[in-house]
Amino acid sequence: MTLYVNLAELLGTRIENGFYRPGDRLPSVRALSVEHGVSLSTVQQAYRVLEDSGLALPKPKSGYFVPVSRAVPALPVIGRPAQRPVDISQWDQVLDLMRVKALPNLVQLGRGMPDVSSPTLRPLMRALGRISRDEQMPGLYYDSIQGNQTLREQVARLLLDSGCNLTANDLLITTGCHEALSASVRAICDPGDIVAVDSPSFFGAMQTLKGLGMKALEIPTDPVTGISLEALELALEQWPIKVIQLTPNCNNPLGYVMPENRKRALLTLAQRFDVAIIEDDVYGDLAFSYPRPRTIKSFDEDGRVLLCSSFSKTLAPGLRIGWVAPGRYLERVLHMKYIGTGSTAPQPQLAIAEFLEGGHYEPHLRRMRSQYQRGREQMIDWVMRYFPAGTRVSRPQGGFMLWVELAEDFDTLRLNRALLTKGVQIAVGSIFSASGKYRNCLRMNFAAKPSPEVENAVRTVGSTIKELIETI
């Protein structure tokens, strides 16, 4: 990553964490040049990045300032501890979200879809085309059940950035992260077992637990530091928990990055109670900070962490290529994959391997991180402008999902039904809970480049909320 991008990310993190407050004067170009040992032009480029992101405002002959208008909304509140494990519900609401087609007149703010229009994906499309035209037809044959060797080698190389020192033999290629999570759960748990989950939590993982006949124990989660270790410890003492499943980096839906010391403490808890950890890192490469955050897996010395991820959020979900590093559970996960889907489709594996080998992945990530960070700022600004006063909003540290909390008695199920008639879709908060909590919350996607169409959709959400409040 270039020097000016590194410097911009450092200053941006300081601004977002309150080190520099709205209205504060930022360090001068010359002072930063001396402090960081870089040229004046490098600092100027960094400030241009911050200016584009809405984090810095230039004033003639005065320098750069944090915009006074940059008011930061309150963060969502932390949920109450669960009293007991529960059977997972909400499938009908998840199905409603999945059934809505990508119609030309529908703005989908609810789906977990990255922006796939970037020109940095063109080498990948060329690779897919070339492989489909190959007379040897490599994409039409069965591949190894463990996955393409070259792709596994490239993924192992990528994982070095997250602190993991793994080999191709430590990895299994899966049909998306969803299969990685599912095979991991099935390898460890039996029907009726209890799985501790962060709350709110990714609805896909919870619906996997539901389908496998398991119970979820929701652990309160802080929008900045992640899953409550105190509540988790209490739950481990009270219940025979088999697995802890969570998304500690660029969490979906809250967007936080769990601090490194808490990741270590979580692993220590898992060792003490001898439980496995299934770590979903599907958004980890999209962290706005550099270097990208370490995974819990990177601290794992006894193989109890099963690291799951995919290219669905960084490249495109239609590729359906994920992976899992199952540690001590490798043979059991491999068996679960075999009886589930068998080998993964080879053509997208070959194309992604070529894309990675060609050095195209990092430039693509840099572009998308920058775009998503700008999208976050714009989406939060729109929410503050168009939603009712008192609305609480997450501060995602990566990815492209925003969690919004409305008044406690508000019903986002009713909101979504009203919005669909106006050509807008959101993700209702209740699907992110095993028991249907967070009915007053919603999740919105800010992956698309800001546009009048997206702004109008957010404005429609805000005005519809106000209309429904008046009828309560």
Side-chain angles (χ1 to χ4, degrees):
M1 185 174 287
T2 54
L3 290 173
Y4 77 88
V5 173
N6 285 342
L7 182 56
E9 289 187 345
L10 173 64
L11 290 171
T13 299
R14 289 178 177 176
I15 293 169
E16 288 169 354
N17 289 338
F19 187 83
Y20 301 116
R21 304 298 298 169
D24 281 358
R25 186 178 188 276
L26 293 166
S28 70
V29 171
R30 186 170 299 279
L32 287 173
S33 172
V34 173
E35 179 184 352
H36 295 277
V38 297
S39 66
L40 296 177
S41 63
T42 295
V43 179
Q44 289 167 340
Q45 284 179 294
Y47 269 131
R48 277 195 288 272
V49 170
L50 292 174
E51 188 178 349
D52 290 342
S53 301
L55 297 176
L57 179 68
K59 292 186 179 179
K61 299 182 181 180
S62 298
Y64 286 87
F65 293 77
V66 180
V68 176
S69 60
R70 185 181 160 75
V72 180
L75 291 168
V77 298
I78 304 172
R80 293 184 293 273
Q83 299 299 313
R84 57 183 176 79
V86 297
D87 292 318
I88 297 158
S89 55
Q90 319 312 314
W91 166 238
D92 289 344
Q93 296 163 25
V94 172
L95 193 57
D96 287 343
L97 177 65
M98 298 295 106
R99 274 179 172 158
V100 176
K101 296 180 180 178
L103 300 174
N105 60 343
L106 180 69
V107 181
Q108 289 190 332
L109 298 177
R111 297 293 294 273
M113 180 75 181
D115 183 0
V116 296
S117 67
S118 173
T120 49
L121 288 177
R122 287 173 187 162
L124 177 62
M125 302 308 294
R126 288 195 293 268
L128 285 166
R130 186 190 60 75
I131 293 165
S132 68
R133 294 189 300 271
D134 191 325
E135 292 182 0
Q136 300 300 316
M137 298 182 294
L140 298 184
Y141 290 89
Y142 281 122
D143 205 333
S144 161
I145 184 68
Q146 196 163 346
N148 178 268
Q149 175 73 19
T150 303
L151 179 58
R152 285 185 285 121
E153 289 172 353
Q154 290 297 316
V155 171
R157 180 182 62 81
L158 291 178
L159 288 173
L160 289 171
D161 287 344
S162 69
C164 294
N165 188 12
L166 301 171
T167 70
N169 291 333
D170 297 319
L171 298 166
L172 307 179
I173 301 300
T174 59
T175 305
C177 188
H178 209 118
E179 187 189 27
L181 292 168
S182 174
S184 296
V185 171
R186 285 183 291 139
I188 300 170
C189 298
D190 296 312
D193 281 345
I194 300 169
V195 178
V197 297
D198 46 5
S199 181
S201 185
F202 170 50
F203 55 81
M206 284 193 295
Q207 290 305 317
T208 296
L209 301 180
K210 175 182 175 65
L212 297 173
M214 295 159 198
K215 295 180 182 292
L217 182 60
E218 297 183 75
I219 307 298
T221 300
D222 186 280
V224 175
T225 60
I227 193 168
S228 168
L229 299 181
E230 298 75 19
L232 178 60
E233 182 177 13
L234 185 61
L236 288 165
E237 291 172 347
Q238 291 181 328
W239 301 98
I241 292 169
K242 204 69 170 288
V243 170
I244 303 165
Q245 196 282 317
L246 75 167
T247 307
N249 290 328
C250 311
N251 174 270
N252 174 20
L254 285 173
Y256 62 82
V257 171
M258 193 175 186
E260 199 169 291
N261 65 324
R262 296 183 68 82
K263 290 175 182 172
R264 290 180 183 271
L266 174 62
L267 182 58
T268 300
L269 263 183
Q271 290 168 335
R272 176 178 150 200
F273 289 93
D274 194 24
V275 298
I277 298 174
I278 297 177
E279 179 180 12
D280 180 351
D281 191 55
V282 72
Y283 291 95
D285 279 349
L286 293 175
F288 301 146
S289 59
Y290 185 84
R292 62 141 291 167
R294 291 186 64 166
T295 56
I296 298 172
K297 179 70 175 178
S298 68
F299 306 114
D300 181 26
E301 296 181 353
D302 59 359
R304 72 177 60 248
V305 180
L306 299 90
L307 177 65
C308 303
S309 192
S310 81
F311 292 103
S312 292
K313 308 304 179 185
T314 53
L315 297 180
L319 297 168
R320 306 312 304 138
I321 298 298
W323 66 89
V324 55
R328 65 169 79 163
Y329 305 99
L330 191 148
E331 293 302 321
R332 287 154 65 179
V333 173
L334 185 62
H335 187 218
M336 293 301 106
K337 175 171 174 52
Y338 173 74
I339 65 174
T341 62
S343 58
T344 298
Q347 182 171 337
Q349 291 188 67
L350 294 167
I352 293 173
E354 183 176 317
F355 184 80
L356 297 176
E357 280 190 300
H360 304 295
Y361 187 64
E362 283 302 323
H364 173 71
L365 282 183
R366 286 198 296 271
R367 182 185 182 98
M368 303 323 293
R369 289 187 198 112
S370 178
Q371 176 179 318
Y372 295 155
Q373 189 167 11
R374 290 195 299 272
R376 178 195 66 178
E377 296 307 314
Q378 184 62 78
M379 183 64 82
I380 290 175
D381 180 64
W382 285 336
V383 168
M384 294 178 65
R385 190 182 310 171
Y386 300 127
F387 282 43
T391 298
R392 293 175 174 267
V393 183
S394 63
R395 293 291 305 167
Q397 298 304 299
F400 43 82
M401 300 297 187
L402 191 72
W403 183 252
V404 179
E405 181 182 312
L406 301 167
E408 191 171 353
D409 59 350
F410 192 82
D411 184 358
T412 55
L413 285 171
R414 186 180 172 207
L415 170 66
N416 196 43
R417 286 193 294 269
L419 288 172
L420 287 172
T421 66
K422 301 178 181 181
V424 180
Q425 182 197 39
I426 57 167
V428 297
S430 55
I431 65 175
F432 299 90
S433 165
S435 57
K437 295 190 294 185
Y438 312 115
R439 196 158 173 145
N440 62 319
C441 300
L442 61 118
R443 190 194 70 179
M444 295 195 297
N445 182 313
F446 54 82
K449 292 179 180 177
S451 67
E453 180 187 33
V454 177
E455 180 179 8
N456 186 58
V458 178
R459 184 190 293 112
T460 298
V461 177
S463 62
T464 306
I465 291 170
K466 293 174 183 176
E467 290 170 8
L468 292 175
I469 289 174
E470 291 176 358
T471 65
I472 294 176

